[in-house]
Amino acid sequence: MRRRTVLTAAAATALAAPVLGAAPARASTSAAPARRSLEIRGCDISSLPKDEAFGAVYRYPNGRRGDAVEILAHYGVTHARLKVWVNPADGYNTKKQILPLAKRLKNADIGIWVDFHYSDTWADPSKQFKPAAWEGLDVAGLTRAVHDHTADVLGALKRQGTPAGLVQVGNEINGGLLWPEGKNWGEGSGGWDTTAAFLKAGLQAARDTTPRVRTMLHIASGGDNATSRWWFDEAVAHGLDFDIIAQSYYPFWHGDLATAAANFADLSARYGKPVVIAETAYPFTLKSEDATNDILYSESQLTEGFPATPAGQAAWLRAVADMQANVPGGKGLGYCYWEGVWTYREGDGWDPSDPASGNAWENLALFDFADRALPALQVLGGYRG
């Protein structure tokens, strides 16, 4: 996830390529039986080391200060998602930060979910920049680099006794990864053959270093069944061996709950694999704590029935949890809240190369502007637990 430059018209057309076969039936978003719990009730905490370095504190609802990881564990969060960059300008989101954070997570009995971007900065559907150190490599060299980088990080985690339980090979890779070689559409791209070669290298490295790990492939089309079918049909046709279908699903980008529910139901049946929402979020306010324009700032961006209030944010997470619990055959594993601990601190902004950049996410965090845990955190960890 990166606050999202819109895909070009050409990209949007390519990613919405026609899909043969009937459209899936609409799926119900009504509450599943209470006994249907979710295995994954996760939170992306990639920003935590840098936020703490710039003075962030975290509090329980009563104002008592606590350790962020321990607060998440207290409320029942099952997994923490950690993004990995190769050589970012600010030095964060690398193996150096992930290793000590993984020890904190293990001590709190929170599972480790590693999210490889294969970039020095944000990777998402609109951009998949190669790491600077890999710029001169050909396809064979890039394939080796993906394998070795994946193995290096996951191997280090295993050696220190904190193996990853979940691994994403790529982040929001609708258009492939390591552009232009690994772009899966368009003139000058390597096409799906090259995309698949890179992904196979990462998947193999994950299994070689951590045999019990569950692998996932992640795109950002939670409410777009045509793109989802196109992408995963290609993945299967190219022999990619993965365990979980992962999707980003934000209502302000990806459509309503019923459309997303139908997509997840269709994908789980079509490919016989479990599904997970790798990213979702919702604002608790439309106010901002800094001068940077936030991603969500207008009533027009909200989903009907879910106001930008602490109660509205909590209600959104209950609805998302119910949707996953309703995936037929018990194939809905759960969901992960994106960057729930990324509160505003000067110096910890969007751009890793610009210390003056601001935070456009603080009104979507799981802690309010007084650093207190919001009701949505209790929902995340405890509802359908």
Side-chain angles (χ1 to χ4, degrees):
M1 166 86 166
R2 170 63 175 100
R3 306 318 41 144
R4 183 142 319 191
T5 51
V6 179
L7 288 174
T8 65
T13 300
L15 295 181
V19 179
L20 299 178
R26 301 287 281 185
S28 171
T29 57
S30 60
R35 65 179 177 275
R36 171 72 170 101
S37 61
L38 295 175
E39 175 188 346
I40 297 173
R41 305 181 305 281
C43 184
D44 191 306
I45 64 168
S46 300
S47 67
L48 183 61
K50 187 173 181 180
D51 222 27
E52 289 178 329
F54 281 87
V57 298
Y58 300 89
R59 303 181 187 278
Y60 291 91
N62 64 4
R64 180 170 63 88
R65 185 170 173 172
D67 177 86
V69 170
E70 292 175 1
I71 294 173
L72 296 182
H74 172 80
Y75 285 107
V77 169
T78 63
H79 293 78
R81 184 173 181 254
L82 311 175
K83 71 171 173 277
V84 181
W85 290 340
V86 176
N87 188 26
D90 62 0
Y92 285 90
N93 299 297
T94 68
K95 182 176 69 173
K96 181 179 179 180
Q97 285 77 38
I98 285 174
L99 290 174
L101 186 52
K103 289 182 178 179
R104 292 170 63 183
L105 292 169
K106 182 178 181 180
N107 290 338
D109 198 26
I110 293 176
I112 297 166
W113 173 345
V114 178
D115 171 18
F116 286 98
H117 283 226
Y118 303 112
S119 182
D120 292 336
T121 187
W122 305 98
D124 60 47
S126 67
K127 58 189 175 302
Q128 296 280 335
F129 300 132
K130 283 182 291 188
W134 301 4
E135 279 291 343
L137 301 178
D138 59 10
V139 168
L142 288 169
T143 303
R144 287 192 299 271
V146 168
H147 179 278
D148 293 350
H149 170 63
T150 307
D152 177 50
V153 174
L154 296 181
L157 284 166
K158 185 179 180 184
R159 286 190 296 274
Q160 76 166 9
T162 58
L166 300 168
V167 171
Q168 277 181 235
V169 179
N171 186 77
E172 296 189 329
I173 51 176
N174 296 48
L177 67 166
L178 297 172
W179 289 356
E181 290 86 351
K183 202 169 192 177
N184 56 22
W185 58 270
E187 185 177 353
S189 72
W192 259 100
D193 288 348
T194 304
T195 298
F198 294 160
L199 294 176
K200 286 178 181 179
L203 291 166
Q204 188 62 54
R207 293 200 173 96
D208 286 346
T209 56
T210 318
R212 298 179 64 182
V213 75
R214 287 186 292 174
T215 58
M216 61 179 73
L217 297 179
H218 171 215
I219 66 172
S221 299
D224 181 351
N225 187 247
T227 294
S228 298
R229 281 188 172 198
W230 165 76
W231 202 95
F232 284 101
D233 279 357
E234 290 284 357
V236 171
H238 282 83
L240 297 181
D241 181 13
F242 63 100
D243 300 312
I244 300 168
I245 293 170
Q247 289 265 22
S248 294
Y249 174 55
Y250 299 94
F252 32 92
W253 288 316
H254 302 136
D256 62 36
L257 283 159
T259 303
N263 187 36
F264 285 111
D266 179 64
L267 297 178
S268 63
R270 186 176 180 87
Y271 305 105
K273 293 181 184 291
V275 294
V276 69
I277 296 174
E279 298 183 16
T280 194
Y282 205 79
F284 65 87
T285 181
L286 293 177
K287 296 179 181 178
S288 181
E289 203 173 4
D290 66 3
T292 299
N293 290 332
D294 290 333
I295 297 304
L296 266 289
Y297 59 87
S298 170
E299 292 281 348
S300 66
Q301 297 172 286
L302 300 179
T303 299
E304 184 177 359
F306 300 95
T309 63
Q313 184 189 49
W316 172 256
L317 291 196
R318 282 192 292 271
V320 169
D322 288 341
M323 178 174 64
Q324 280 285 290
N326 268 319
V327 175
K331 287 190 170 70
L333 296 181
Y335 67 108
C336 179
Y337 196 92
W338 196 78
E339 284 288 16
V341 300
W342 196 359
T343 57
Y344 168 68
R345 285 299 180 275
E346 186 176 359
D348 183 13
W350 283 115
D351 186 348
S353 66
D354 180 8
S357 61
N359 185 342
W361 194 255
E362 77 274 17
N363 68 332
L364 290 107
L366 294 173
F367 292 81
D368 67 17
F369 294 168
D371 305 317
R372 297 169 301 192
L374 287 157
L377 180 54
Q378 185 173 359
V379 172
L380 174 62
Y383 184 64
R384 298 211 175 272

